Amino acid sequence: ECPLGLLPQPPEAFPALASCAYRSCQACLQQYLRIAVSESRVQAACPHCPAPPHPADVHRLLAEPALRDKYEEFLLRRLLVADPGTRWCPAPDCSYAVIAYGWAECPRLTCGREGCGTEFCYHCRQPWHPDGPCAPAPPAPSLADPAAQLVHLEDSAHGEEAEAEDIKVCPRCSAFIMKINDGSCNRMNCTVCGCLFCWLCLQEISDVHFLSPSGCTFWGKRPWSRTRKILWQLGMVLGAPMVISLVAGIAVPVITIGIPIYMGRKVLAGSRRSSLSGCQQCLSVTSSVLLSLFVSPIITAVTVG
């Protein structure tokens, strides 16, 4: 039975994948990859595990040449995004990448795309300005869908389709990303470069980003206020020692006294079932209690530590 379509299939309908050992029928895998590539999710993992698909498997399962070309294009763009020497042509109708090495001293670049030839600056990524300083560079639109820039500009100008905070750029590759106001969390994953970032502060995040007093909340549209962040920090500074002292004050006597009592009762119950004499029972219980008295401080120290 295919775990995706939940229908019985012959064994030859389950192709082997190079990325992992999970199996699904070929029809379901083709539909899964077709949807993933159509939505530009080049980092789409296996339907059953986080392993990314091998490019050879994608080519074997995707029959449409257009989807294959799109998959290759976005793989190339992800590779270029990771290269610090890549500069994207700022022309509005061009998405050509220029690989620039050693151009810091002579920052004049020329787009190599046939019919374009736009000259732009290596530093600010703007049209070439020989007589003026570099201007602040806007986010590069060429990593996302070419229509994304037009949509962003129209929405920014009219404000009718989406609010300004609904469209932001990836902090790593500057691809435009829109977040639907459906109450979802602020942990975002760029489908172009795979960057994991916070929607509120636009910084790449770790697992403890929303637990730190940075002000960013996992749910909600606004970060914490300055007053709330200060109160959180004061609570951590003042409250943590009190909680630790309280736990230690309860754990030390409970462990120190409780372990010998528990061991003595267990040994006494076992010795009664084994039909030992009264002297032997007394000796075994005493030895177990004395041994527990030596071990319990070690356990207490490890627990408090």
Side-chain angles (χ1 to χ4, degrees), residues 74-86 88 143 170 172-175 192-194:
F74 273 85
L75 282 184
L76 177 60
R77 288 182 182 276
R78 283 183 54 203
L79 179 63
L80 294 175
V81 163
D83 189 345
T86 301
W88 302 88
L143 300 180
C170 171
R172 182 185 297 174
C173 68
S174 299
V192 178
C193 67

Side-chain angles (χ1 to χ4, degrees), residues 90-274:
D93 57 346
C94 183
S95 59
Y96 197 81
V98 178
I99 308 298
Y101 292 111
W103 287 80
E105 298 179 358
C106 183
R108 184 177 181 177
L109 300 178
T110 303
C111 178
R113 177 173 171 266
E114 184 178 356
C116 182
T118 302
E119 296 181 346
F120 58 99
C121 178
Y122 173 87
H123 298 294
C124 66
R125 301 172 175 84
Q126 296 299 296
W128 178 241
H129 48 88
D131 301 326
C134 290
S142 55
L143 300 180
D145 185 32
Q149 183 187 19
L150 180 61
V151 173
H152 174 72
L153 294 177
E154 289 179 352
D155 292 343
S156 299
H158 298 89
E160 296 176 357
E161 299 295 333
E163 298 180 359
E165 62 267 17
D166 292 337
I167 301 178
K168 298 181 181 181
V169 294
C170 171
R172 182 185 297 174
C173 68
S174 299
F176 286 124
I177 296 178
M178 181 175 181
K179 183 176 185 293
I180 300 176
N181 186 16
D182 58 352
S184 56
C185 67
N186 293 313
R187 182 179 179 270
M188 305 297 293
N189 189 6
C190 177
T191 59
V192 178
C193 67
C195 176
L196 191 66
F197 67 94
C198 173
W199 181 256
L200 297 178
C201 65
L202 294 179
Q203 300 292 326
E204 295 192 35
I205 63 174
S206 61
D207 293 335
V208 296
H209 177 79
F210 296 105
L211 298 178
S212 62
S214 60
C216 296
T217 59
F218 192 74
W219 307 101
K221 298 182 180 179
R222 295 288 185 271
W224 286 356
S225 63
R226 181 178 178 84
T227 303
R228 188 173 180 180
K229 287 192 291 186
I230 293 176
L231 291 177
W232 172 268
Q233 294 173 356
L234 290 176
M236 292 295 293
V237 172
L238 300 178
M242 296 176 59
V243 172
I244 294 175
S245 301
L246 180 62
V247 171
I250 297 175
V252 169
V254 169
I255 296 177
T256 304
I257 301 174
I259 290 180
I261 296 176
Y262 174 78
M263 291 301 299
R265 291 173 61 89
K266 293 288 291 184
V267 172
L268 179 61
S271 61
R272 286 177 177 175
R273 288 195 298 267
S274 58

